Amino acid sequence: SLPAKLINGGIAGLIGVTCVFPIDLAKTRLQNQQNGQRMYTSLSDCLIKTIRSEGYFGMYRGAAVNLTLVTPEKAIKLAANDFFRHHLSKDGKKLTLLKEMLAGCGAGTCQVIVTTPMEMLKIQLQDAGRLAAQKKLMAAQAQISSSPAAAAAEAAAEAAAERRPTATQITRELLRSKGIAGLYKGLGATLLRDVPFSIVYFPLFANLNKLGQKDPNVKAPFYVSFLSGCVAGSTAAVAVNPCDVIKTRLQSLQRGVNEDTYSGILDCTKKIWQREGPTAFFKGAYCRALVIAPLFGIAQVVYFVGIAEFLLDTLAKHRA
């Protein structure tokens, strides 16, 4: 049933995000840093420096936004894919690859209603630590000349580091200055990432999962669903990583010193290609694969186990 699909999707999202959020934070920071302003060299370097400067919970900056919105986001994505697959297979025949891709396309299009504002807020909170660390580093370098101006610069940097924005403050400011459109900045780039992702992920998962089915009428073992979700998720994540880099850059409201600003998708693509080279489009690709693989593996296992069906049945029996 639809309620069961929504609950399953929500539970899967909550479990998955809690497990992999620190890696997602590292991905955002690695993607946002530009040539000449590098604070981190790798995933492990980013996480170690984050813990040192911001504490353990610094790795979870922005997690509250994700945990709040990931339930409707994952629920819409998974339920929409099932909805489109159901209506595309009304004749009872096996779905063709094209129809599976169309179902994935529909799911990816539906989810951006929630994904865009969620990503918009999450990126500001995740990247705030990188910008604060960069300001502190510049202030420390300026302090070498012990002038009053250098001391003032250091004090300003430390004050800025302490005044990190909250999701509520960012939301209010965006709504006040730009209206609802402010929360949907980067909508085109989000579609450019999520629609191809779903087109690749859902057909690949369905076909990999079928390989573990001994009987077409019996579900594949849970470990097959988990591995299929991991492989399909990581493959799709790496395939669309260039779009994810562009989306992250466009949705970042604050920039570090001497970092580029962008007017749109084409401008962002051109500047990254010219100033950082084609490899820049795959910044954080392995981080994104590490995030998406368990996230979707867990999601498919939750679907397989049918936690929502159990809860709904228990509730119905209790009422009876």
Side-chain angles (χ1 to χ4, degrees), residues 239-254:
V240 302
N241 197 74
C243 302
D244 189 55
V245 172
I246 293 168
K247 183 201 71 67
T248 301
R249 296 280 182 96
L250 289 174
Q251 288 188 320
S252 297
L253 300 175
Q254 301 295 323

Side-chain angles (χ1 to χ4, degrees), residues 30 114 211 233 283 317:
L30 288 169
V114 177
L211 296 176
K283 282 183 177 180
K317 289 176 183 176

Side-chain angles (χ1 to χ4, degrees), residues 72-84 102-117 184 187 190-191 194-195 198 202:
E73 190 245 4
K74 284 290 176 289
I76 289 171
K77 188 186 190 83
L78 295 172
N81 180 66
D82 279 357
F83 173 82
F84 287 117
L102 284 173
C105 178
T109 304
C110 290
Q111 78 168 81
V112 297
I113 297 168
V114 177
T115 303
T116 306
Y184 281 87
L187 174 62
T190 305
L191 279 167
D194 288 350
V195 171
S198 296
F202 285 110

Side-chain angles (χ1 to χ4, degrees), residues 90-101:
K90 275 191 171 180
D91 54 6
K93 295 179 182 178
K94 179 183 174 182
L95 281 177
T96 63
L97 180 60
L98 178 60
K99 286 186 176 181
E100 288 182 333
M101 292 172 72

Side-chain angles (χ1 to χ4, degrees), residues 164-295:
R164 292 181 188 173
T166 65
T168 304
Q169 290 171 341
I170 295 169
T171 303
R172 285 176 180 170
E173 178 59 29
L174 286 171
L175 290 174
R176 184 189 64 79
S177 60
K178 299 181 180 179
I180 193 69
L183 290 172
Y184 281 87
K185 183 181 179 183
L187 174 62
T190 305
L191 279 167
L192 196 63
R193 181 197 68 173
D194 288 350
V195 171
F197 177 92
S198 296
I199 289 173
V200 173
Y201 172 78
F202 285 110
L204 183 56
F205 168 78
N207 286 283
L208 288 173
N209 200 47
K210 282 177 188 174
L211 296 176
Q213 290 180 278
K214 294 180 180 179
D215 185 327
N217 298 317
V218 179
K219 286 182 178 180
F222 79 92
Y223 64 86
V224 172
S225 294
F226 176 76
L227 291 174
S228 298
C230 289
V231 173
S234 57
T235 302
V238 173
V240 302
N241 197 74
C243 302
D244 189 55
V245 172
I246 293 168
K247 183 201 71 67
T248 301
R249 296 280 182 96
L250 289 174
Q251 288 188 320
S252 297
L253 300 175
Q254 301 295 323
R255 304 286 178 190
V257 179
N258 300 323
E259 290 185 346
D260 290 327
T261 56
Y262 312 102
S263 60
I265 294 173
L266 292 177
D267 180 57
C268 183
T269 305
K270 182 180 176 181
K271 286 180 178 176
I272 291 174
W273 183 278
Q274 291 178 342
R275 300 176 187 181
E276 300 175 61
T279 56
F281 289 105
F282 286 93
K283 282 183 177 180
Y286 65 98
C287 294
R288 184 162 163 74
L290 288 173
V291 169
I292 295 297
L295 192 62

